[in-house]
Amino acid sequence: MAESRKPALLVSACLVGDRCRFDGTDRFSARVAALGEMFRLIPVCPEVSGGLPTPRPPSERLGGRVIAKNGADFTAAFLRGAEKTLETARLNRAVGAVLKAKSPSCGVGRIYDGTFRGTLVDGDGVAAEWLRREGIPLWTEDDFINCEVENALRKIARDFENMIQEGE
């Protein structure tokens, strides 16, 4: 399928090789990158687009705030990044998003609890929360251990291609 005819899928930029994580590294996932065969991948890093530098202090959600390990309050930057990520999803008509697991901006379903002790709690990262409210389906790279997710994404890509063909 031609690139312009592929459905758009947001992906955390670190999962496709961008060195934008808090520690200046990436978390490249070959399985996520391979989705580019079916989707037009739209890399996003809400933390960077919200104005935070790379590297930056590690952060965790604590209630409605995002606090860095050094005590700095990064909430405003995370909110700006979530807003820009949602705007990117809308502009590209994204059919879903594959986001970095456990991240304070991108985590889906499970995030760190704000104590910096490695404890996970139920919840979404800030950008994931905004995307979910918009009704955008969300996954993490960890979901790709399960073939059902890949099959669902293949179906989305086929349905999109059929929709395009019917519109011609």
Side-chain angles (χ1 to χ4, degrees), residues 31-114:
R31 292 188 90 152
V32 172
L35 293 171
E37 295 172 21
M38 296 181 292
F39 295 93
R40 185 169 42 91
L41 301 182
I42 310 295
V44 295
C45 181
E47 295 172 31
V48 171
S49 65
L52 293 174
T54 303
R56 59 191 165 273
S59 307
E60 294 186 4
R61 285 194 83 171
L62 185 60
R65 313 293 304 161
V66 181
I67 306 300
K69 193 170 187 178
N70 67 7
D73 187 336
F74 285 167
T75 305
F78 273 70
L79 291 172
R80 273 192 309 275
E83 182 177 15
K84 288 182 179 187
T85 299
L86 180 56
E87 184 178 302
T88 299
R90 287 175 177 157
L91 287 172
N92 287 281
R93 297 186 182 139
V95 298
V98 179
L99 303 173
K100 179 67 190 100
K102 306 172 197 159
S103 157
S105 55
C106 293
V108 176
R110 302 283 289 164
I111 56 173
Y112 292 109
D113 70 350

Side-chain angles (χ1 to χ4, degrees), residues 1-8 36 38-42 92-93 160-161 164 168:
M1 185 181 335
E3 190 69 21
S4 64
R5 296 172 61 99
K6 293 179 184 179
M38 296 181 292
F39 295 93
R40 185 169 42 91
L41 301 182
I42 310 295
N92 287 281
R93 297 186 182 139
F160 185 85
E161 186 172 6
I164 294 289
E168 292 179 345

